[in-house]
Structure formats: C-alpha cells, structure tokens
Amino acid sequence: SYHEEILVMAGSKYKGVLIKELNLPKDILIVSIQRKNETIIPHGETEIQINDIIEVYGKNTDINFVKKLFEPD
C-alpha cells in the first residue's frame, strides 16, 4: 500500500461533493482531511472543499485515479 496527500485544486468538479458520492476505488481509504488549521476524520457525509488536503492510503494505481479527481477540469 501507498500513502499520499492530495490537494483539492480550484477548478476540480468534485468540490462540494460528499465522499460517498465520489465512486472511489474500493481499496482506497481516506484517512484524514486537512482544512485550514483543522484535521477532519472523514466519513461518507464529509463534503470535499477547495484547498482540502486529503490523506489517502491504497494501491498506487488507485491513488493516481483519486489525484485526477481533484485536479482542475
């Protein structure tokens, strides 16, 4: 397994979307979200916001898939 921190960039179409709506690969785990000075332990109802830093664990190919979600369109 790999670990990475992924920045949600301005222009990502997934800003404002709930984690449960992301259709993430089944072996991806979102461990935490850094938002400003706060650490959030996420769940399905957590909303993704611009400039969130999302900490994920999973296979490298799955992490690359997640990275693309949060890049600008």
Side-chain angles (χ1 to χ4, degrees):
S1 287
Y2 293 89
H3 164 253
E4 187 132 358
E5 292 182 345
I6 300 170
L7 173 66
V8 180
M9 298 181 195
S12 167
K13 64 183 173 189
Y14 290 98
K15 68 179 182 295
V17 171
L18 303 181
I19 288 176
K20 69 181 183 181
E21 298 170 337
L22 289 175
N23 293 321
L24 295 173
K26 68 179 179 69
D27 292 329
I28 278 287
L29 177 63
I30 297 180
V31 179
S32 69
I33 297 174
Q34 296 293 324
R35 182 174 295 154
K36 298 181 179 146
N37 296 322
E38 183 181 6
T39 299
I40 297 164
I41 303 303
H43 51 79
E45 299 292 325
T46 303
E47 184 180 299
I48 300 298
Q49 296 181 11
I50 296 300
N51 294 323
D52 281 355
I53 298 172
I54 299 175
E55 183 181 6
V56 297
Y57 278 93
K59 291 187 280 193
N60 211 21
T61 52
D62 291 341
I63 288 175
N64 287 333
F65 173 85
V66 174
K67 275 186 190 174
K68 286 180 175 46
L69 295 180
F70 300 122
E71 293 173 352
D73 269 352

